[in-house]
Amino acid sequence: GASPERVRFVQCQHPGCAKRLKPGEPVVGRLDDPGKAFARLVVYSARCPSAPQQDAVPLIWIGDRRKGEPVRISIQAVDRLGLLRDILDEIYALHPQGLYLLGAEAGVDREHKALIHFRVSSPDSQAVHALEDKLEEMKTAGRLDNVVLEPLSPLDKMLLSQPDDLPNPYSPGAVDDPRVFKGRVAEIRTILDALEGSQGAAVIYGISRVGKTSLLRYLKRVVLPARGFTPVLLDLQGLVRRSEYGFWQAVNRQILRTLEESPLFSRRVVRHLQRVDVSPYEAFNLWREQTAEELRTQRLVLLFDEINLLEDLWEDRHAAAAVVAQLKSLVEERGPLQCIFTMQEVLFKRILMHGTQLSLSALLRLAVPVPLDYIAPSDARKLIAEPMGDKLRFDDRLVERMLFLTACHPYYLQTLLLNLVGQAREQQKRTLGLEDLQSVLPEMLSNGQHLFQQFLQENRGFRRDVMSALAHSNEDANPGLELNEISQRLQAMGHREVARGGLIEALTSLVEIGAVGLQPDSKTPRYAVRVPLFSHWFARTYPGIPIAAKQGLR
């Protein structure tokens, strides 16, 4: 009952379990919202301790009717006459060995670099390796800038086995597919300047779900390899052991895995990372000392996603402080290893203003700050139109309405697009208009408590009343409310007195989590809910007299 793009594969973090599911191993599922048009299937390894026991959906793998293992090839090169033909010649030359071209996409970015993606299949790995060798020869000769070969994900394979269906590339989670990553040109330029300059470190910060992890993955997959860097990504949420030992053990494993896939890999480079007679951090330092020259060639960049988890989730404060001090020492050294961090905006500002016992402030001050906000309207339009190409058309009025409702927040725009394209698949449509948006929104908003959870962190007492006053004032052309107007609305809702200082404090906390924003181009401060979609849901969900007023809270 779940369409392929609504299938999620769980990445298991339990010791002894494989992190990623492989086709063929026993699996079970959990169906969220069964019977609904937008049901979601979550797939677990049957051996995983977290696998559902009751109401589990028994699953089997459906064999692909094509023989062989499909592979995605991503190529970046200077755009030139005959570029595509030269690459296709190498692919078709291997046709006698069973290599088949399944699909191709090509485009040019703002810097006139060609971005080309192929999907090929072969009955065995020999033809794929032969093609990889040919492409690496073209890269060595300077005809290509970067080449990456990787197997298709289980979801991509499912979509590939249904070629007549309308593809749905959108995702409300962190983006892996470069086709649905738009904008962030200025931010990427700042990060590259930091890595190639004297600073050697950058910290990306922003509100929840604004695209920090997506940017990190795009840097890892597209940007950094094209500039000659070797990126190593570590998701701090996925650490099995939140300790100094577990942290550096995970770092060493990720470096080892990355270098083994690198054409510059040599056993001497990683020998020290595998030592068991010393701690993982000591092994890391021995490896750095012994391989300094080769590291300069590799240009390794360590990408740490959600560095603020050291502050938020680690119970052992001494271990967390030790890791922060070690990272600070690494950045201060400004050697061949460089770092990029991501973290929540609220904590980033709080740390820089007040400091912490972990000395995160000292670490962050060494890095170039890169703030991340909603994407620009021009980039949002590209996100709507370009991934679907000529397979699905969005009416101009629909596009404008989507931009308004989401305020170009990438998470809400991706979620809305996911639902619209899913409906188009079911109804076999090739053009979408405003009427399609009206049929999608009610079911999408029925899950509003989850959809807007990052805006509901301050949804209690007086702050809820302030949010309610702003939400009930929302209109399409919303100029926002001044402090006096908000006070008047709160008094009309049951508050006898509204202290100006308390109101400013409540608004500041709502601005910090991204729920409320200051209207630009106004002489006096005017506040409004940033995402109209959230404002409409909040006004409908919390109508009438707020709970705080009923309870006499002030």
Side-chain angles (χ1 to χ4, degrees), residues 477-511:
N478 182 19
L481 297 178
E482 296 181 7
L483 287 173
N484 289 338
E485 294 173 313
I486 300 172
S487 296
Q488 291 170 8
R489 288 180 179 270
L490 288 169
Q491 289 171 5
M493 293 160 61
H495 288 270
R496 297 175 186 173
E497 296 180 5
V498 178
R500 187 179 181 86
L503 178 56
I504 292 174
E505 181 184 346
L507 286 166
T508 300
S509 67
L510 293 170
V511 169

Side-chain angles (χ1 to χ4, degrees), residues 497-540:
E497 296 180 5
V498 178
R500 187 179 181 86
L503 178 56
I504 292 174
E505 181 184 346
L507 286 166
T508 300
S509 67
L510 293 170
V511 169
E512 284 182 341
I513 63 172
V516 171
L518 280 165
Q519 295 293 75
D521 304 324
S522 59
K523 295 181 180 179
T524 56
R526 303 183 72 92
Y527 297 86
V529 180
R530 289 196 71 179
V531 179
L533 197 64
F534 172 55
S535 183
H536 293 324
W537 175 83
F538 197 95
R540 190 176 64 184

Side-chain angles (χ1 to χ4, degrees), residues 10 82 194 320 416 429 526 536:
V10 171
L416 197 53
K429 282 190 169 185
R526 303 183 72 92
H536 293 324

